[in-house]
Amino acid sequence: MAFTAVCPHDCPSVCALEVEQQTAERIGRVRGNPRHRYTDGVICAKVARYAERLHHPDRLMQPLARTGAKGEGRFEPIGWDAALDRIAEAFMAAERRHGPAAVWPYYYAGTMGLVQRDGINRLRHAKRYSGQDDTVCTRIATTGWNAGAGRRWGVDACEIPKSEVVVLWGLNAVATQVQLMNFIAQARRNGARLVVIDPYSSPTAKQADLHLPVRPGTDGAFACGVMHVLFKEGYADWAYLARYTDHPHELERHLKTRTPEWASAICGLPAEEIRCFARLYGSTKKTYIRLGFGFTRSRNGAVNMHAASCLPAITGAWQVEGGGALYNQGDLYTLDTTLIDGSDVKDPAVRMLDMSAIGRVLTGDAQALHGGPPVEAMLIQNVNPACIAPELDRVHAGLRRDDLFVAVHEQFLTDTARFADLVLPATMFLEHDDIYKASGHTILQISPKRLEAPGETRENHWVIQEVAKRVGAEHPGFALSARELVEAVLQASELPDFDSLVASEGYDLAPDFETAHFLDGFPTPSGKFRFKPDWASLGADAARIPALPDHCPVIDERSDAYPFRLVAGPAREFLNTSFTEMPTSRAKMRRPTLLIHPDDANAEGLADGDLVRIGNRLGSVLLHAERRHGTQPGTLVVESIWPNAAFIEGVGINRLISADPAPPAKGAVFHDTAVWMRKEHAKAIAAE
């Protein structure tokens, strides 16, 4: 016996699932739904093993109150009513001392379900608690894409089998979007070539016909070198440029000095490789670029994304099936979610705190607090900042504050939960109702409750309702069940009802060919793709951004003191910090490892398995070394995000990541870090 569901995790694929039900309480194997045109029966291995997570013996099953020091992870059981009363008391006490801005509900995408993820904002807005600036994931990439194209949509990935050249740029699809590899395999059977642009030899890069390992933070320079060749060697479609783009002649003049040799000096690839890629790209309009987040998580990431997105506008690849680009389909989902997120009662005067700067916020940085009161109470759902946030030492110091009350609603005792005053047990996706949109495809889906919640676990929505009652928050959304909220969203958005969407296994919002390929014009004020964006309209910090595509030299550059650039990329067996609790995933990943180019390893006298320390102004981290071809010398890679305890000294790689915001609109710079490196000796470590 099997039932359908939707994968809730923070992944563009938002897969349609078929779940084997063994008993009323237990599931078996999870498979991809073969009737879903994007999932197409294919899912990642970690979700296929979901029974291992759902029925994990360490899953939280009852509310807990802290008995030890913050961070120790010592707790005792507490009843739900007592726990909820304590949360309300802490919130109201903070509000009495400093006003509602002293309370900061904190969340992100541990579930992608709109009800269970975004309902915390209804509480925030109704009470005028501090706002959250959602900068940790997509902000930089979205800003760069919108700079040129205007809105987030593009060519459906299902067109990839018709492509002749497929480019994965800053995207490790084998680890993060396995369906893309399914479509690419179909294209390659028809003779297509796969190009991967990525600083290191990821599992995806290993499958490529051509891997271009640019230096981190130099994708804009590489793109300009490619565009130079496209114009110079006659690959530019001037009829398309005249009709659909702004300032093409100015761009051509600007690029005359951005030669492959110029680009090579910055990105590290031989000039001839840049020319060869440009000729391959320009040789057919059936070129499909799938743009990822990886290469944008840099101080110049928005500029890099914009530069990469210019390529199909120069060749006119948008005009044909299998040509064009895709970053994100999110703006096709025009849902009215007012009842879920309470946006109708949002006060624009309430301060917005940068979620990526949580360490600075919690340690009292006046700039991070916008000159306002300290944060003294938090409810955290769907995110693990003690592990994933930048500047981990600051984050941990803030979470240890005696005057800070923290309640964490979680499925496992995460790093963040260990710092909490109260830990509340959360349901998983098969145990509650929710509605899901995607960024990688266009199908709106509902995943209904299929199993009873075990133990004393409660859904996020219920917890928000109960806290709202106790703190006096008022909004119509608090009176509705999760299913009723979904029904209301569907009705307000003029879409089929809950049961119809479950029966049809989704509702496809894909636009027609002309809209998807921007053949009716781009959703910009002029209707044209913008080579010369109005960056100031996209963010307050636009002064450092070049007017036209270019290399933007604002990154954490290598120096004599910090001669290496670090990429903290995703691990294949984890999804952020989800799945790190699964024995199979941990066994496959083994341990946190520093991937080092053999030339750099030789210079430091490093063999596989040796201990190596890397560090910068923020601190240092001790890891085991692994020599790995596929990067340029000077580039280091750590595939993470492991729990802090998995690291030798108990703090993870994000100890080294800065919380500096990227221009023009902020965003976390996880892949923009200069470090030093040295070999460590086990005897010296033991002596310490």
Side-chain angles (χ1 to χ4, degrees):
M1 177 181 173
F3 53 76
T4 59
V6 180
C7 180
H9 287 282
D10 187 9
C11 166
S13 296
V14 189
C15 292
L17 307 176
E18 287 187 338
V19 182
E20 178 187 10
Q21 185 166 10
Q22 294 182 336
T23 69
E25 295 82 24
R26 296 195 67 85
I27 66 167
R29 188 74 177 173
V30 180
R31 299 178 176 84
N33 186 338
R35 297 174 298 282
H36 188 277
R37 69 176 182 84
Y38 184 80
T39 301
D40 196 25
V42 177
I43 61 170
C44 66
K46 48 189 174 283
V47 172
R49 302 190 296 267
Y50 213 88
E52 191 177 319
R53 188 169 197 273
L54 191 78
H55 305 304
H56 197 292
D58 293 338
R59 185 174 169 187
L60 293 170
M61 289 294 177
Q62 59 185 337
L64 302 172
R66 178 172 60 85
T67 58
K70 291 187 175 186
E72 283 186 356
R74 289 196 289 127
F75 298 90
E76 64 183 11
I78 186 175
W80 264 109
D81 282 335
L84 292 164
D85 288 345
R86 282 185 60 182
I87 293 171
E89 289 164 7
F91 280 22
M92 290 188 289
E95 185 172 353
R96 285 193 297 271
R97 287 190 296 270
H98 302 290
V103 180
W104 192 23
Y106 192 90
Y107 80 112
Y108 206 58
T111 176
M112 295 293 281
L114 302 187
V115 173
Q116 309 296 343
R117 183 187 70 191
D118 298 339
I120 196 171
N121 285 322
R122 186 182 341 109
L123 176 65
R124 180 196 315 278
H125 299 328
K127 286 292 295 180
R128 289 167 175 73
Y129 294 150
S130 280
Q132 177 175 295
D133 200 356
D134 298 338
T135 59
V136 79
C137 183
T138 65
R139 175 67 60 78
I140 303 172
T142 294
T143 303
W145 174 267
N146 287 350
R151 299 290 299 282
R152 294 176 304 157
W153 71 74
V155 177
D156 197 311
C158 295
E159 287 190 27
I160 288 176
K162 302 291 181 66
S163 304
E164 294 177 356
V165 176
V166 180
V167 182
L168 299 183
W169 201 323
L171 175 68
N172 184 5
V174 167
T176 61
Q177 294 181 55
V178 69
Q179 283 77 20
L180 281 180
M181 301 309 294
N182 180 36
F183 296 130
I184 290 167
Q186 296 174 46
R188 295 176 90 177
R189 287 195 289 270
N190 296 327
R193 299 190 68 191
L194 172 62
V195 181
V196 173
I197 304 170
D198 196 299
Y200 87 112
S201 184
S202 68
T204 307
K206 290 176 181 178
Q207 297 190 27
D209 298 294
L210 176 62
H211 173 215
L212 297 169
V214 298
R215 291 172 181 151
T218 65
D219 301 77
F222 170 75
C224 287
V226 172
M227 288 188 277
H228 171 96
V229 176
L230 294 177
F231 277 113
K232 183 177 181 179
E233 298 190 6
Y235 296 111
D237 184 334
W238 280 102
Y240 181 89
L241 286 163
R243 180 176 177 185
Y244 287 102
T245 73
D246 74 348
H247 307 292
H249 293 285
E250 186 177 354
L251 177 64
E252 183 189 27
R253 290 192 299 272
H254 165 73
L255 291 169
K256 285 186 183 296
T257 59
R258 272 52 176 177
T259 64
E261 286 73 19
W262 169 87
S264 175
I266 298 170
C267 75
L269 296 176
E272 194 53 34
E273 277 194 20
I274 298 171
R275 285 192 177 88
C276 287
F277 170 71
R279 291 163 183 161
L280 174 65
Y281 183 84
S283 66
T284 172
K285 288 193 186 322
K286 291 191 171 186
T287 53
Y288 187 100
I289 304 180
R290 184 60 169 95
L291 296 155
F293 299 116
F295 76 109
T296 71
R297 288 175 174 153
S298 176
R299 290 167 177 81
N300 61 2
V303 175
N304 293 341
M305 171 62 87
H306 175 247
S309 72
C310 290
L311 268 63
I314 291 173
T315 65
W318 289 108
Q319 299 168 94
V320 302
E321 188 177 18
L326 176 64
Y327 152 60
N328 189 304
Q329 301 283 27
D331 284 334
L332 295 174
Y333 293 87
T334 54
L335 302 177
D336 183 344
T337 58
T338 305
L339 280 172
I340 292 176
D341 58 33
S343 55
D344 55 333
V345 295
K346 180 179 180 179
D347 182 350
V350 171
R351 69 177 176 182
M352 298 289 288
L353 300 179
D354 184 346
M355 69 176 302
S356 299
I358 181 175
R360 299 180 185 187
V361 168
L362 296 185
T363 53
D365 182 284
Q367 184 176 0
L369 289 166
H370 299 286
V375 169
E376 292 195 347
M378 299 181 73
L379 170 63
I380 300 176
Q381 290 184 323
N382 308 321
V383 68
N384 187 8
C387 194
I388 66 96
E391 298 181 358
L392 278 184
D393 285 345
R394 275 187 165 182
V395 177
H396 294 176
L399 290 171
R400 286 193 181 97
R401 282 171 38 205
D402 290 333
D403 64 336
L404 174 68
F405 172 86
V406 177
V408 174
H409 189 202
E410 255 295 354
Q411 297 162 349
F412 293 92
L413 194 65
T414 63
D415 285 301
T416 305
R418 295 175 70 87
F419 284 97
D421 296 285
L422 291 173
V423 180
L424 311 175
T427 51
M428 293 192 184
F429 75 108
L430 297 177
E431 299 155 1
H432 54 240
D433 297 309
D434 219 330
I435 183 170
Y436 297 86
K437 57 184 183 179
S439 63
H441 62 76
T442 60
I443 302 171
L444 182 70
Q445 300 175 91
I446 287 177
S447 194
K449 180 178 178 178
R450 299 295 194 180
L451 302 174
E452 289 302 315
E456 296 181 59
T457 59
R458 298 290 187 272
E459 64 178 328
N460 292 359
H461 173 62
W462 182 86
V463 170
I464 296 301
Q465 286 178 306
E466 292 298 315
V467 172
K469 288 178 190 175
R470 287 165 169 82
V471 298
E474 296 182 355
H475 190 275
F478 293 127
L480 303 177
S481 68
R483 178 181 173 125
E484 288 169 338
L485 279 173
V486 175
E487 288 276 21
V489 167
L490 294 172
Q491 184 176 6
S493 306
E494 299 182 351
L495 292 167
D497 64 21
F498 189 103
D499 290 332
S500 297
L501 273 180
V502 172
S504 62
E505 299 179 355
Y507 186 85
D508 200 340
L509 297 166
D512 57 31
F513 182 90
E514 287 72 19
T515 301
H517 287 253
F518 301 109
L519 298 183
D520 296 324
F522 287 83
T524 61
S526 67
K528 295 186 175 186
F529 182 89
R530 296 176 290 204
F531 291 132
K532 195 173 184 179
D534 178 10
W535 287 105
S537 70
L538 297 168
D541 184 17
R544 294 184 287 166
I545 293 183
L548 289 161
D550 212 334
H551 174 61
C552 184
V554 297
I555 60 176
D556 192 10
E557 296 277 10
R558 294 188 300 170
S559 64
D560 290 343
Y562 304 103
F564 300 96
R565 291 267 291 161
L566 171 68
V567 173
R572 182 173 184 173
E573 299 297 332
F574 304 151
L575 205 170
N576 300 322
T577 61
S578 295
F579 302 99
T580 58
E581 70 285 332
M582 288 171 60
T584 303
S585 294
R586 291 180 73 107
K588 287 177 177 288
M589 291 302 301
R590 294 184 60 231
R591 64 190 179 194
T593 301
L594 183 70
L595 307 181
I596 309 171
H597 189 281
D599 290 353
D600 294 328
N602 290 339
E604 299 291 330
L606 289 166
D608 283 354
D610 281 351
L611 290 171
V612 58
R613 186 178 296 278
I614 59 174
N616 59 12
R617 299 170 187 87
L618 295 171
S620 68
V621 176
L622 190 64
L623 301 127
H624 290 89
E626 181 180 326
R627 299 158 65 96
R628 176 81 65 87
H629 286 282
T631 64
Q632 293 190 41
T635 298
L636 306 175
V637 178
V638 176
E639 294 178 322
S640 209
I641 302 172
W642 285 87
N644 291 299
F647 288 81
I648 296 167
E649 295 173 322
V651 181
I653 196 65
N654 283 8
R655 163 181 268 176
L656 309 182
I657 306 302
S658 171
D660 288 352
K666 302 182 183 178
V669 296
F670 291 111
H671 301 165
D672 189 1
T673 306
V675 296
W676 49 259
M677 176 177 69
R678 68 169 183 254
K679 184 175 181 178
E680 290 278 293
H681 297 282
K683 290 181 180 178
I685 295 167
E688 291 176 8

